[in-house]
Amino acid sequence: MLQMRLNALAMSAACALVGSLLPVGSLSAADPTPQQLEFFEKKIRPVLSTHCYKCHSRESKKLRAGLMLDSHAAVMRGGESGALLVPGEPDKSRLIEAVRYENVDLEMPPKRKLPEDVIKDLTEWVRMGAPWPAEAAPADAGVPAETF
């Protein structure tokens, strides 16, 4: 019994040592390229800011569907309905389903469909893995007090 505990302790120590030697982020997806980041900043962030942040950001007076779109972590977390997107797979992503207006119960933005070139850009962004610039964690990453 003691030998099993010692073996488990040795294995834990070895794993911790190996993990500490790996560069930060080495186990995650590849870092976005400068071209992907430029695409995001020129084509994607302005759309999110203009058409989505009013209802889906930390600054929202009333957060809709528990979904925030103003940080990478929030986008990847999704909202009350689950995951927002599947990086690399636009046809499996609720974001793309919503902006295409193919599901009458899920149309975003709600007042008017986005232009086709914007939908194409969002689709391409998801296809390339939804790259997002590195960002510091917000001081208050919580959901606004009033949500629905």
Side-chain angles (χ1 to χ4, degrees):
M1 183 64 124
L2 178 61
Q3 185 61 41
M4 286 177 31
R5 286 185 181 171
L6 288 173
N7 286 345
L9 181 61
M11 182 61 78
S12 295
C15 289
L17 177 62
V18 170
S20 70
L21 297 175
L22 293 172
V24 174
S26 66
L27 299 178
S28 63
D31 291 333
T33 66
Q35 295 81 13
Q36 290 173 326
L37 295 178
E38 180 179 4
F39 182 86
F40 174 80
E41 293 297 353
K42 287 186 174 181
K43 303 272 187 169
I44 304 305
R45 192 184 304 267
V47 172
L48 296 175
S49 177
T50 301
H51 298 283
C52 307
Y53 286 2
K54 180 179 178 187
C55 298
H56 300 290
S57 74
R58 284 186 302 276
E59 306 303 318
S60 301
K61 290 180 183 176
K62 292 182 180 181
L63 184 68
R64 307 289 177 147
L67 178 63
M68 292 193 294
L69 300 175
D70 55 352
S71 76
H72 185 255
V75 167
M76 298 314 291
R77 182 173 43 251
E80 293 169 1
S81 298
L84 178 66
L85 57 84
V86 179
E89 300 190 47
D91 291 333
K92 294 181 180 179
S93 299
R94 291 181 59 82
L95 172 69
I96 303 306
E97 178 185 3
V99 298
R100 285 179 176 162
Y101 272 51
E102 294 174 349
N103 177 348
V104 70
D105 296 323
L106 182 64
E107 296 179 341
M108 291 290 148
K111 292 184 180 177
R112 182 175 59 238
K113 185 177 179 181
L114 296 169
E116 286 302 318
D117 61 323
V118 172
I119 295 170
K120 182 179 174 185
D121 289 340
L122 287 165
T123 302
E124 181 57 28
W125 175 64
V126 173
R127 183 175 288 112
M128 65 174 76
W132 196 292
E135 55 192 12
D140 178 19
V143 174
E146 189 173 348
T147 62
F148 71 99

